[in-house]
Amino acid sequence: MAQNSRPGAPVTPTGLNHLVLNVRDLEESHRFWTEILGFAHVGSLHATAERPDPPRMRFYSGVRDGRHNHHDLALVEDTSLPEPGSGPVAVNHVAVTLPDRDSFVQQLAFLQEKGVEFGRRVEHGMTHSLYIRDPNGYGVELLYELPRTVWGGDIEAALNYVKVLPTEGAEALEDDLENAPVFG
């Protein structure tokens, strides 16, 4: 029997495996997820005898332990989607983990250099985060996780903590790890 499980109860998952997003323009979204966020394009759907007319779909991966996953993200083209900003989107945001603090600060500088609008920059109790939008209006949170010793003692307090930071100029690139609160 699986760990953390008993008859009549669900098995506790290890986490989310991948996310599939519907996008209006596959090429535009491809450029965002590869050229702006740095994901690797690892595959695409092709016509086969069993599936002669597959959807336009591409697969992307980050790197874990020095290797690409089969995919962390997939994009499916749906040209009937509304223009961004014309109404709510079903997905609030997708959180993308960067390897460490230095990588996070480097990515902030890269995005600022590319003219990507910083929607919200915050220090949460368990992550330091930047929120931006993809070409379809989906929210994207870029983050690095703080050590478990910071938030593990009181997860709820860490989830409820937020410090709002500047979103423009050099101040938007600052990251204060030394003064991070410890919860519990």
Side-chain angles (χ1 to χ4, degrees):
M1 186 172 292
Q3 258 185 334
N4 299 329
S5 174
R6 62 187 190 286
V11 173
T12 302
T14 59
L16 298 178
N17 184 271
H18 64 272
L19 174 70
V20 179
L21 293 175
N22 291 326
V23 299
R24 284 184 346 277
D25 181 330
L26 190 59
E27 298 307 322
E28 177 185 49
S29 293
H30 171 83
R31 286 189 301 275
F32 175 83
W33 288 95
T34 59
E35 296 174 17
I36 300 298
L37 293 188
F39 278 83
H41 174 219
V42 295
S44 302
L45 283 189
H46 302 286
T48 65
E50 295 79 22
R51 186 175 39 205
D53 190 24
R56 286 197 66 207
M57 187 171 187
R58 293 186 186 159
F59 302 88
Y60 303 85
S61 177
V63 174
R64 269 188 229 94
D65 302 321
R67 296 181 300 178
H68 288 290
N69 188 24
H70 50 81
H71 70 288
D72 298 305
L73 171 73
L75 303 176
V76 180
E77 188 169 69
D78 179 350
T79 58
S80 71
L81 290 174
E83 289 291 321
S86 62
V89 293
V91 174
N92 182 283
H93 72 274
V94 176
V96 176
T97 305
L98 293 166
D100 52 40
R101 179 183 180 274
D102 290 342
S103 300
F104 176 74
V105 172
Q106 181 181 340
Q107 184 68 6
L108 293 179
F110 173 77
L111 294 173
Q112 195 176 66
E113 180 183 296
K114 290 289 191 182
V116 174
E117 182 180 344
F118 288 18
R120 190 167 181 232
R121 174 89 166 77
V122 299
E123 292 176 359
H124 293 298
M126 61 281 163
T127 68
H128 287 188
S129 303
L130 168 69
Y131 294 84
I132 61 176
R133 295 247 170 234
D134 91 330
N136 296 280
Y138 295 119
V140 178
E141 176 186 6
L142 300 171
L143 64 89
Y144 75 94
E145 290 193 4
L146 299 175
R148 186 175 287 272
T149 55
V150 169
W151 54 266
D154 189 344
I155 294 172
E156 186 156 350
L159 287 167
N160 281 283
Y161 177 82
V162 64
K163 178 181 174 185
V164 178
L165 302 172
T167 57
E168 296 180 0
E171 298 83 22
L173 305 179
E174 293 175 6
D175 188 70
D176 182 13
L177 189 55
E178 281 100 45
N179 295 311
V182 175
F183 300 92

